[in-house]
Amino acid sequence: MEFSKAFPIWDKLTPSEQLLLENTVTMRTISKGTVLHNGMADCMGLILVKTGQLRAFIRSDEGREITIYRLFEMDFCLFSASCILRSIQFDVTVEAEKDSEIFVIPPDIYKHVMEQSAALANYTNEIMASRFSEIMWLIEQIMWKSQDKRLAAFLVEESRLENSTTLKLTHERIAGHLGTAREVITRMLRYLQREGLLRLTRGSIELLDVKSLETLAE
């Protein structure tokens, strides 16, 4: 996929704006587990996902993580250009969940085009609003939804993303997504196993009753 086809509002930019972006964008191939952006001091540029899957998360002082959103094909990551988002006051880490290909737009170039293009400025605001809506939804889930329901919802979502009922996930990895302790995840998974909803094996989780997990998540 070419950059022009991946950029969501390409046809709304002027020819000079398109040329500037095309001449400055770079493409990177990254391996699963690669950290692309790490906190407010890091400003690598705007990330546009060509293929693969990225994860944005925050980490506490104690080292506990929680996923705030994920990025898929043709998704933009604005937080990787924190230097042009002065109102953002929290550190976000972005890593590759799968082997991925990404386009990287230099932050000064993106800012320059955004200041000229009302279409890009509006689109950027829409992305920001969408991301913060996801964060607010996450806060609501943490505050009002029990851990077993959040775990069930996560397992169902993973099954859909991987198109498989066998998930190659460690308990620690799940804890990092949900912002809790590994011991809590282990205890809940064992409970779901006793209920016949899944089977635990070394390094993987087999979902036996996705429908019941969906019901629990709701």
Side-chain angles (χ1 to χ4, degrees):
M1 184 191 300
E2 297 177 1
F3 175 66
S4 59
K5 294 180 179 178
F7 200 90
I9 59 164
W10 186 255
D11 59 342
K12 295 183 180 179
L13 301 177
T14 66
S16 62
E17 292 164 351
Q18 292 175 347
L19 183 62
L20 178 59
L21 289 172
E22 281 190 316
N23 287 340
T24 54
V25 69
T26 57
M27 197 188 83
R28 290 179 56 186
T29 300
I30 52 177
S31 302
K32 177 181 178 180
T34 301
V35 174
L36 299 167
H37 171 78
N38 193 14
M40 288 166 51
D42 189 1
C43 194
M44 70 174 293
L46 279 291
I47 295 174
L48 173 59
V49 181
K50 181 182 179 184
T51 61
Q53 182 175 312
L54 310 182
R55 169 191 177 227
F57 64 94
I58 53 178
R59 182 184 287 120
S60 71
D61 292 338
E62 296 77 27
R64 183 172 294 181
E65 300 175 359
I66 185 167
T67 299
I68 54 176
Y69 61 82
R70 282 158 148 175
L71 296 155
F72 305 96
E73 185 176 311
M74 295 182 67
D75 276 344
F76 256 118
C77 183
L78 297 177
F79 289 126
S80 57
S82 54
C83 53
I84 68 170
L85 302 172
R86 299 300 184 185
S87 60
I88 304 301
Q89 297 297 319
F90 57 92
D91 289 344
V92 175
T93 301
V94 181
E95 70 171 6
E97 279 199 296
K98 297 181 179 180
D99 293 342
S100 304
E101 292 179 304
I102 61 171
F103 294 109
V104 181
I105 307 169
D108 56 331
I109 299 298
Y110 190 89
K111 183 179 181 181
H112 174 74
V113 176
M114 186 172 64
E115 289 172 346
Q116 292 184 334
S117 170
L120 184 57
N122 290 336
Y123 182 68
T124 302
N125 289 332
E126 288 175 8
I127 296 173
M128 290 296 296
S130 175
R131 295 298 177 224
F132 279 111
S133 292
E134 290 178 288
I135 293 171
M136 290 304 300
W137 177 86
L138 175 62
I139 292 172
E140 290 178 354
Q141 296 295 301
I142 294 171
M143 290 180 63
W144 310 120
K145 206 165 189 178
S146 62
Q147 287 278 18
D148 60 336
K149 292 181 181 295
R150 292 183 61 217
L151 174 59
F154 173 79
L155 294 174
V156 170
E157 179 188 18
E158 284 296 299
S159 178
R160 290 171 179 165
L161 287 175
E162 300 299 327
N163 194 29
S164 174
T165 55
T166 300
L167 308 176
K168 301 294 184 181
L169 283 169
T170 64
H171 298 190
E172 184 173 0
R173 186 68 174 173
I174 298 173
H177 278 291
L178 299 182
T180 188
R182 178 184 58 79
E183 295 78 10
V184 173
I185 296 299
T186 297
R187 185 167 62 249
M188 288 191 294
L189 286 172
R190 288 174 177 169
Y191 165 75
L192 295 176
Q193 180 173 244
R194 290 196 301 270
E195 294 295 305
L197 303 186
L198 53 81
R199 180 185 297 116
L200 300 175
T201 57
R202 188 173 183 83
S204 66
I205 302 167
E206 182 182 357
L207 307 187
L208 302 177
D209 191 342
V210 175
K211 193 68 176 177
S212 293
L213 285 170
E214 289 174 342
T215 301
L216 174 60
E218 294 169 358

